[in-house]
């Protein structure tokens, strides 16, 4: 028989269990109350009579960040933010395809040094932007993509145009968030804008469901039943919906800071105690470069990022005196025909150099994954992104110094450390002689007869002679543009826009749109291949409607010639490579633009036609010049080099 003493411990378990159960229940109730926003609603009320909407919060943040343009293709999911932007003086520029809106935001970001903004509707509106967002990621352009979405309550329930948008954009964006309450719009957008510009710049995505953008009374009408439901379950559901609505709008219009957050821009390693200006790592780079006999610098797009201005960077490169190759947004940094700017035979030059500074340049396919770098060369590489900086360094090349930091600031510190050191002029002269030989080759090609139509090399040489100093060049295409890259020089920094590392076709119209709005006093010249122009043709309707005068030069050889040139010899077929000598100028005229034709019939008037196109642009008209060029077989079936 059990004694009372033995039974006592078992009896004491019941109060403990009861206490634990009560505590668990209370914790669960408190957690549920927190998730339902009940505590927040005690301190932050809902203004049910207000006609304000979340789109006004979006517009207020954009204005506080200095955004002047928002690119879009309209949709009901995003109408409130577009209307609010218009009311606050932010110009809403609507395009004919969502991808163009993002390309325009990309160009705006590259040329302005701030964040470019695009807004598109849910589902297919967003999926149409994927190529442009990936292109911006590869080009390291800080853009903000605002995307509409189904109501927060209806997601994953078969709503119109609903798709898991966050999963789609997470691999493409630095920052990817869905806003779930109106009061979260402002802090989320501020964080997104800062993320786009901090570290290595890139695209960010903010999803804005319709119920955080529209006014309370409209969301209430859609969400809460007009008549009180009968029965316990109906009343519980009604209470839940009313509380959900209240939590959605609680504190929505309370004042919040709207301006920019501080940016996180990586610099070189910490400063040395004995030198307040130079870091230890930069000092080692200075010592390596000071001993060079044949130094060479390769500058990429990162060199043109803020905070270092293009003018300061140019002065630093000139002071440094090291010959350099320029790529991406760094094209044009030194202007036209600068003695330090080497344009041809980069691979051969890299093999000869004893010290190479890769400033914002990645050892990807553009440098043959690092195989063009000589093992005897000392390599200094600087990049904001550590992963990109060391790409393929474990296979084909090794850096002597790898500096993770801002490229422009690094170059300024490098110049300061070298204090005016100069190098023997025979090295630069050797490199420039290779340029002169290549130029002579092009002159010979320009003089060669073609079977029909115009010689594209000759045409592009005349474009180079005609191009004004205030021009911005937008390039979009393969064969024709590949030749233009050798012949047509940007007149200054931030005056050349190409897709970047992703090699995307179809950027032309969007880039031109963003460029002209960002730099209204510049002449925007777009060099298109005829294949690439097919993506952009419809946007001449956009240029006409918004009165944006740009000039398109279409190298029309009736085919995807860059592909055909390799496909036919290797595989014996020209399948899918053929196009027609389409009247693109007439198609543009049908959209309200001006159209001009250059062909064998007026080949002696190329310069006159270009000047006519310029004048029509200056009069406010977008212009398409359709240039019929031959598929020239000069050497190896190619006119491009």
């Amino acid at each position: 028989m059990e004694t009372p003493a033995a039974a006592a411990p078992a009896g004491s378990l019941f109060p403990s269990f009861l206490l634990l159960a009560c505590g668990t229940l209370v914790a669960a109730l408190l957690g549920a109350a927190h998730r339902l926003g009940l505590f927040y609603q005690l301190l932050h009320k809902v203004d049910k009579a207000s006609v304000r909407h979340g789109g006004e919060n979006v517009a207020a943040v954009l204005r506080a960040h200095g955004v002047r343009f928002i690119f879009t293709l309209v949709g009901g999911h995003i109408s409130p933010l577009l209307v609010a932007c218009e009311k606050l003086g932010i110009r809403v520029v609507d395009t004919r395809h969502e991808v163009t809106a993002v390309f325009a935001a990309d160009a705006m970001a590259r040329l302005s040094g701030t964040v470019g903004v695009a807004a598109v509707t849910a589902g297919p509106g967003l999926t149409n932007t994927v190529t442009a967002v990936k292109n911006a990621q590869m080009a390291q352009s800080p853009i903000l993509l605002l995307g509409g979405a189904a109501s927060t309550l209806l997601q994953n329930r078969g709503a119109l145009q609903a798709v898991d948008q966050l999963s789609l954009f997470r691999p493409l964006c630095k920052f990817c968030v869905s806003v779930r309450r109106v009061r979260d719009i402002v802090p989320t957008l501020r964080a997104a804008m800062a993320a786009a510009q901090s570290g290595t710049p890139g695209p960010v995505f903010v999803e804005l469901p319709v119920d955080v953008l529209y006014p309370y009374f409209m969301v209430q009408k859609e969400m809460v039943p007009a008549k009180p439901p009968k029965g316990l379950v109906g009343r519980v559901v009604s209470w839940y919906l009313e509380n959900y609505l209240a939590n959605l709008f609680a504190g929505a219009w309370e004042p919040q800071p709207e301006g920019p957050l501080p940016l996180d821009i990586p610099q070189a390693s910490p400063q040395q105690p004995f030198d307040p200006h130079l870091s230890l790592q930069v000092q080692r780079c200075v010592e390596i470069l000071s001993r060079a006999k044949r130094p060479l610098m390769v500058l990429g797009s990162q060199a043109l990022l803020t905070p270092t201005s293009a003018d300061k960077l140019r002065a630093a490169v000139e002071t440094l005196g090291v010959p350099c190759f320029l790529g991406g947004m760094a094209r044009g940094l030194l202007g036209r025909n600068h003695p330090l700017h080497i344009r041809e035979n980069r691979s051969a030059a890299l093999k000869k150099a004893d010290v190479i500074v890769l400033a914002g340049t990645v050892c990807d396919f553009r440098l043959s994954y690092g195989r063009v770098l000589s093992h005897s060369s000392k390599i200094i590489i600087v990049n904001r992104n550590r992963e990109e900086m060391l790409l393929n360094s474990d296979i084909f090349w090794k850096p002597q110094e790898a500096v993770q930091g801002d490229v422009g600031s690094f170059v300024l510190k490098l110049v300061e450390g070298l204090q005016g050191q100069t190098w023997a002029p025979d090295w630069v002269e050797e490199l420039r002689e290779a340029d002169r030989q290549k130029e002579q080759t092009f002159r010979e090609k320009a003089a060669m007869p073609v079977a029909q139509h115009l010689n594209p090399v000759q045409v592009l040489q005349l474009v180079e002679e005609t191009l004004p100093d205030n021009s911005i060049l937008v390039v979009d295409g393969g064969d024709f543009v590949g030749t233009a890259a050798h012949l047509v020089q940007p007149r200054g920094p931030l005056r050349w826009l190409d897709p970047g590392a992703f090699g995307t076709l179809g950027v032309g119209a969007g880039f031109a749109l963003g460029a002209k709005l960002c730099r209204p006093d510049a002449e925007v010249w777009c060099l298109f291949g005829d294949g690439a122009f097919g993506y952009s043709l419809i946007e001449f309707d956009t240029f006409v409607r918004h009165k944006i005068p740009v000039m398109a030069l279409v190298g029309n050889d009736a085919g995807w010639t860059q592909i055909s040139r390799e496909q036919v010899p290797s595989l014996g077929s020209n399948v899918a490579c053929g196009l027609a000598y389409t009247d693109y100028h007439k198609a543009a005229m049908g959209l309200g633009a001006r159209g001009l034709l250059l062909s064998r019939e007026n080949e002696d008037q190329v310069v006159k036609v270009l000047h006519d196109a310029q004048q029509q642009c200056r009069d406010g008209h977008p212009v398409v010049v359709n240039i019929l060029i031959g598929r020239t077989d000069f050497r190896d079936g190619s006119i491009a080099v």
Side-chain angles (χ1 to χ4, degrees):
M1 183 175 180
E2 196 175 68
T3 63
S12 65
L13 290 177
F14 181 74
S16 300
F17 175 77
L18 183 61
L19 184 62
L20 178 62
C22 291
T24 302
L25 179 61
V26 170
L29 290 173
L30 290 175
H34 175 71
R35 286 192 298 273
L36 292 170
L38 298 178
F39 296 134
Y40 188 87
Q41 293 175 50
L42 292 175
L43 300 175
H44 305 271
K45 300 301 181 182
V46 178
D47 185 356
K48 297 182 180 181
S50 176
V51 295
R52 295 186 61 182
H53 54 79
E56 297 173 5
N57 289 9
V58 175
V61 174
L62 297 182
R63 182 177 64 175
H65 283 73
V67 174
R68 297 185 296 129
F69 304 95
I70 183 169
F71 301 97
T72 190
L73 197 158
V74 70
H77 291 86
I78 58 169
S79 291
L81 76 87
L82 299 179
V83 172
C85 283
E86 182 186 40
K87 287 182 178 179
L88 290 187
I90 299 172
R91 184 171 173 182
V92 179
V93 184
D94 60 303
T95 63
R96 296 300 301 270
H97 196 293
E98 290 90 351
V99 75
T100 304
V102 179
F103 283 139
D106 185 340
M108 182 67 65
R110 297 190 198 192
L111 296 181
S112 68
T114 57
V115 178
V117 183
V120 298
T121 197
L126 269 163
T127 58
N128 278 344
T129 70
V130 167
T131 297
V133 174
K134 181 61 182 179
N135 193 80
Q137 182 191 45
M138 295 288 287
Q140 300 177 352
S141 294
I143 64 170
L144 168 63
L145 176 62
L146 302 173
S151 167
T152 54
L153 270 179
L154 295 180
Q155 291 181 8
N156 302 316
R157 295 182 181 275
L160 174 67
Q161 297 183 328
V163 63
D164 185 358
Q165 298 174 162
L166 294 183
S167 295
L168 187 63
F169 283 92
R170 280 193 185 100
L172 307 178
C173 296
K174 298 178 61 182
F175 181 98
C176 198
V177 173
S178 180
V179 176
R180 315 307 286 182
R181 295 164 301 201
V182 179
R183 62 181 176 271
D184 294 333
I185 291 175
V186 171
T188 301
L189 289 180
R190 295 178 75 211
M193 297 283 275
Q197 300 172 88
S198 293
T200 304
V204 295
F205 171 59
V206 177
E207 180 182 80
L208 296 163
V210 290
D211 49 354
V212 303
L213 286 181
Y214 277 84
Y216 179 92
F217 73 93
M218 295 182 68
V219 178
Q220 181 187 41
K221 183 179 179 181
E222 293 294 323
M223 185 181 294
V224 180
K227 295 181 179 180
K230 298 179 181 180
L232 179 61
V233 174
R235 290 175 182 174
V236 170
V237 171
S238 180
W239 174 87
Y240 175 80
L241 292 176
E242 289 177 354
N243 179 76
Y244 190 94
L245 178 63
N247 188 42
L248 198 67
F249 282 88
W253 319 125
E254 294 177 3
Q256 298 183 71
E258 298 167 347
L261 293 170
L263 303 182
D264 179 16
I265 298 176
Q267 299 294 331
S269 56
Q271 296 175 345
Q272 296 182 85
F274 58 85
D275 190 335
H277 301 293
L278 297 176
S279 71
L280 178 61
Q281 200 169 23
V282 173
Q283 183 63 39
R284 290 197 298 266
C285 296
V286 167
E287 291 171 0
I288 292 169
L289 197 54
S290 68
R291 294 192 292 268
K293 301 298 183 184
R294 298 184 306 281
L296 194 63
M297 181 179 288
V298 184
L299 284 163
S301 295
Q302 274 194 20
L304 273 295
L305 294 176
T306 53
T308 305
S309 69
D311 290 340
K312 283 187 178 180
L313 182 64
R314 172 175 178 160
V317 171
E318 289 177 329
T319 301
L320 191 61
V322 173
C324 58
F325 288 91
L326 306 174
M329 293 304 297
R331 282 178 177 265
L333 175 67
L334 298 176
R336 187 184 183 194
N337 298 322
H338 195 284
L340 289 176
H341 180 201
I342 311 302
R343 305 179 66 235
E344 306 292 348
N345 294 348
R346 186 174 68 175
S347 295
L350 289 169
K351 289 293 185 184
K352 294 178 181 179
D354 58 356
V355 174
I356 301 169
V357 180
L358 301 177
T361 302
V362 183
C363 288
D364 56 13
F365 69 94
R366 291 166 292 184
L367 289 179
S368 190
Y369 310 99
R371 285 178 292 196
V372 297
L373 303 176
S374 172
H375 291 293
S376 61
S377 302
K378 292 183 177 179
I379 311 298
I380 298 169
I381 187 165
V382 55
N383 198 292
R384 291 194 184 192
N385 186 295
R386 181 170 179 80
E387 183 178 344
E388 283 197 353
M389 179 172 64
L390 300 177
L391 190 65
N392 298 310
S393 63
D394 55 342
I395 304 176
F396 298 118
W397 69 287
K398 287 289 182 187
Q400 186 81 8
E401 288 290 339
V403 182
Q404 184 179 2
D406 175 61
V407 175
S409 303
F410 170 82
V411 174
L412 295 183
K413 291 179 181 179
L414 206 60
V415 172
E416 184 180 350
L418 287 162
Q419 296 180 347
Q421 179 172 333
T422 58
W423 285 267
D426 56 344
W427 168 234
V428 177
E429 183 59 27
E430 178 183 346
L431 297 175
R432 289 193 60 79
E433 178 58 29
D435 273 14
R436 286 190 284 269
Q437 291 177 6
K438 185 71 72 171
E439 290 165 2
Q440 178 58 32
T441 300
F442 276 116
R443 281 193 289 271
E444 294 170 359
K445 287 184 177 183
M448 291 181 180
V450 295
Q452 57 179 340
H453 304 303
L454 300 178
N455 182 324
V457 178
Q458 185 180 58
V459 170
L460 287 168
Q461 285 186 336
L462 294 173
V463 170
E464 163 64 15
E465 295 172 8
T466 309
L467 195 69
D469 289 339
N470 73 334
S471 62
I472 293 176
L473 281 164
V474 173
V475 296
D476 184 10
D479 208 63
F480 186 68
V481 167
T483 305
H486 293 270
L487 295 172
V488 184
Q489 298 186 51
R491 298 323 198 219
L494 298 176
R495 292 188 175 276
W496 172 279
L497 287 168
D498 63 27
F502 201 37
T504 310
L505 284 183
V507 303
F511 279 10
L513 179 61
K516 186 62 179 179
L517 288 171
C518 186
R519 305 273 184 84
D521 295 332
E523 287 191 17
V524 177
W525 289 49
C526 309
L527 304 180
F528 286 99
D530 55 335
F533 188 64
Y535 293 91
S536 290
L537 174 59
I538 190 59
E539 298 299 349
F540 275 80
D541 170 78
T542 303
F543 296 137
V544 170
R545 286 185 295 109
H546 289 280
K547 297 180 174 56
I548 298 173
V550 300
M551 186 164 73
L553 308 181
V554 184
N556 186 356
D557 62 0
W560 299 94
T561 307
Q562 190 178 62
I563 306 303
S564 178
R565 181 170 292 113
E566 296 183 2
Q567 180 175 306
V568 173
S570 61
L571 299 173
S573 173
N574 196 47
V575 63
C577 295
L579 295 172
Y581 281 105
T582 301
D583 288 334
Y584 295 113
H585 59 298
K586 292 183 179 178
M589 292 168 68
L591 295 170
R594 301 297 171 89
L596 300 170
L597 177 66
L598 268 175
S599 66
R600 181 64 66 86
E601 283 67 33
N602 61 347
E603 63 180 332
D604 59 339
Q605 296 183 318
V606 173
V607 174
K608 179 182 183 302
V609 170
L610 293 177
H611 284 152
D612 288 347
Q614 277 184 285
Q615 187 57 53
Q616 293 193 46
C617 273
R618 290 167 183 167
D619 292 340
H621 305 289
V623 182
V624 171
V625 183
N626 188 18
I627 308 171
L628 305 187
I629 57 175
R631 295 183 183 179
T632 316
D633 184 6
F634 284 147
R635 182 180 57 188
D636 56 357
S638 168
I639 54 89
V641 182

